């Protein structure tokens, strides 16, 4: 048993000050990922700063400003919020597709964004892993990789980001707010998870010691017609092997607006910009959806055991866009 300190923070500035610049200190949200990793010896913090008492537990919506979600809002409260259900249904569906009721009652929005990969080599400290131990190698490339990345990976790491919630946030152009000792800052979610390259251990662009304070979704009327679909190996309580958050606006058979993000395919929630570009202004037809999927997945690089994901994602894109078209055309 390794000893560690525990402090509870009651205001944002205090939380940032308690963590300081200590690389061995960690913020503690619901603890549903961090504590597991501590038990496995992957994380070995000397100090935990509990953020659950911070006044960051509100969800606010206005048509002009969009949705503002505090970092300590639990996954359960986020999914159940009437404005989220009404204006961003894919976000509710994504959150409810993750983990279990008990875990969602504990897990926070900030912690969900920063959850670590479930790659089995990463969580086993007896194995090499470039993400956990830079320069030690990536055994997944030649080993177990059936649920690893097909987009944006590198020879140094092919792990995926496991969050369902973050996929919906990426589709809706989320902006992540944070606070450091130097003051507040923000970054779009598209820039939050950096390219893997040869530095897979650098997982976000957050400055050292930064506390995530919230997430903002700009107004997006198209988001009211949205859906999250998750494919997994068991019916419940399992991480995605592929997922999609999609929103669609169709008028007179023509795609006026579309948002697409893919999950479990990359080290980050993957905003499908190439597919969106292919769809805007064109017909809302199965052929067009298939062509858009091809455009997005042209960059896919599969390994021997994860090539099924290319077909899976193509089918998911076509199926969910077809369903949304039928829904908005009623
Ligand atoms: C059995 C099981 C099944 C799961 N299934 C799914 C699933 O299907 N889909 C899915 O998306 N997720 C799933 N999860 C993951 C779960 O969603 C995450 O564990 C959870 O969202 C993490 O939130 P937390 O508040 O508990 O984070 P914590 O474990 O407290 O923290 C995670 C990380 O975030 C940091 N952190 C926390 N809050 C902040 C903050 N405000 N600012 C800066 N850093 C912060 C911590 O220091 C830590 O590094 C599952 C987890 C388990 C245990
Ligand atoms: S895929 Fe990434 S996390 Fe998994 S073993 Fe390779 S370097 Fe480690």
């Amino acid at each position: 048993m390794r000893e560690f300190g525990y402090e509870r923070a009651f205001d944002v500035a205090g939380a940032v000050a308690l963590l300081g610049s200590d690389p061995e200190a960690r913020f503690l949200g619901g603890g549903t990922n961090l504590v597991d990793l501590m038990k496995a010896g992957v994380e070995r913090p000397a100090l935990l700063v509990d953020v659950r008492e911070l006044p960051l537990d509100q969800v606010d919506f206005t048509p002009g400003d969009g949705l503002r979600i505090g970092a300590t809002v639990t996954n359960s409260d986020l999914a159940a919020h009437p404005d989220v259900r009404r204006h961003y249904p894919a976000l509710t569906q994504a959150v409810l597709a993750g983990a279990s009721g008990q875990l969602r009652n504990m897990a926070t929005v900030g912690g969900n964004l920063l959850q670590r990969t479930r790659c089995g080599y990463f969580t086993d400290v007896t194995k090499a892993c470039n993400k956990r131990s830079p320069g030690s190698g990536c055994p997944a490339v030649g080993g177990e990789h059936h649920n690893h990345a097909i987009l944006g990976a590198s020879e140094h790491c092919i792990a995926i980001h496991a969050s369902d919630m973050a996929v919906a946030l990426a589709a809706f152009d989320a902006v992540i707010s944070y606070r450091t000792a130097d003051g507040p800052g923000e970054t779009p979610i598209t820039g939050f998870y950096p390219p893997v390259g040869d530095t897979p251990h650098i997982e976000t662009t957050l400055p050292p010691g930064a506390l995530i304070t919230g997430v903002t979704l700009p107004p997006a009327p198209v988001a009211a017609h949205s859906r999250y679909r998750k494919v997994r190996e068991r019916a419940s309580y399992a991480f995605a092997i592929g997922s999609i958050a999609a929103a669609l606006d169709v008028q007179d058979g023509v795609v006026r607006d579309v948002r697409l993000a893919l999950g479990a395919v990359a080290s980050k929630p993957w905003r499908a910009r190439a597919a969106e570009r292919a769809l805007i202004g064109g017909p809302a037809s199965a052929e067009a959806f298939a062509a858009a999927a091809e455009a997005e997945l042209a960059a896919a690089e599969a390994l021997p055991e994860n090539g099924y994901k290319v077909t899976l994602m193509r089918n998911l894109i076509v199926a969910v866009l077809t369903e949304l078209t039928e829904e908005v055309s009623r």
Side-chain angles (χ1 to χ4, degrees), residues 8-274:
R8 187 171 291 177
F10 295 96
D11 61 83
V12 167
V16 172
L18 274 171
L19 197 89
S21 54
D22 183 351
E24 295 212 340
R26 294 281 182 277
F27 291 119
L28 177 70
T32 61
N33 188 218
L34 180 55
V35 174
D36 278 357
L37 292 174
M38 288 168 67
K39 289 180 190 164
V42 175
E43 287 271 18
R44 300 168 65 82
L47 172 67
L48 295 182
V49 177
D50 192 334
V51 301
R52 284 173 297 180
E53 299 293 330
L54 297 180
L56 300 172
D57 59 351
Q58 297 296 312
V59 178
D60 299 298
F61 175 80
T62 61
D65 294 333
L67 190 72
R68 166 87 193 166
I69 310 162
T72 63
V73 171
T74 65
N75 286 191
S76 294
D77 286 348
L78 177 63
H81 196 281
D83 285 323
V84 179
R85 292 162 63 102
R86 182 168 171 208
H87 299 289
Y88 304 87
L91 179 55
T92 285
Q93 292 163 14
V95 173
L96 292 180
S100 64
Q102 292 92 335
L103 285 161
R104 292 193 297 270
N105 287 343
M106 292 298 292
T108 62
V109 167
N112 190 307
L113 287 167
L114 294 179
Q115 65 174 285
R116 313 293 297 281
T117 184
R118 315 306 280 204
C119 174
Y121 300 102
F122 173 77
T123 51
D124 181 347
V125 293
T126 67
K127 303 286 195 306
C129 169
N130 283 330
K131 189 184 276 297
R132 178 172 31 76
S133 179
S136 62
C138 176
V141 171
E144 172 54 51
H145 57 247
H146 84 283
N147 195 17
H148 284 60
I150 55 169
L151 289 165
S154 84
E155 61 184 309
H156 301 284
C157 180
I158 54 171
I160 56 166
H161 196 270
S163 170
D164 291 296
M165 180 193 80
V167 182
L169 294 181
F172 301 142
D173 297 309
V175 175
I176 296 164
S177 305
Y178 59 84
R179 180 78 70 91
T180 68
D182 297 329
E186 60 180 36
T187 177
I189 193 167
T190 42
F192 187 70
Y193 302 103
V196 183
D198 59 1
T199 53
H201 59 290
I202 301 175
E203 296 180 348
T204 75
T205 55
L206 271 181
L211 172 78
I212 295 179
T213 51
V215 178
T216 304
L217 299 186
V222 70
H225 305 289
S226 65
R227 183 164 296 193
Y228 185 75
R229 175 76 54 81
K230 173 176 180 176
V231 179
R232 47 191 154 181
E233 290 173 339
R234 300 192 294 268
S236 70
Y237 205 39
F239 287 92
I241 56 171
S243 71
I244 179 171
L248 188 67
D249 181 18
V250 175
Q251 286 166 31
D252 301 323
V254 173
V255 175
R256 297 293 177 203
D257 198 359
V258 61
R259 307 290 167 87
L260 283 177
L262 311 180
V265 293
S267 62
K268 59 180 180 179
W270 188 266
R271 182 71 182 264
R273 300 265 188 210

Side-chain angles (χ1 to χ4, degrees), residues 289-303:
F289 299 155
E294 295 293 345
E296 191 63 49
L297 296 166
E301 289 184 59
L303 290 162

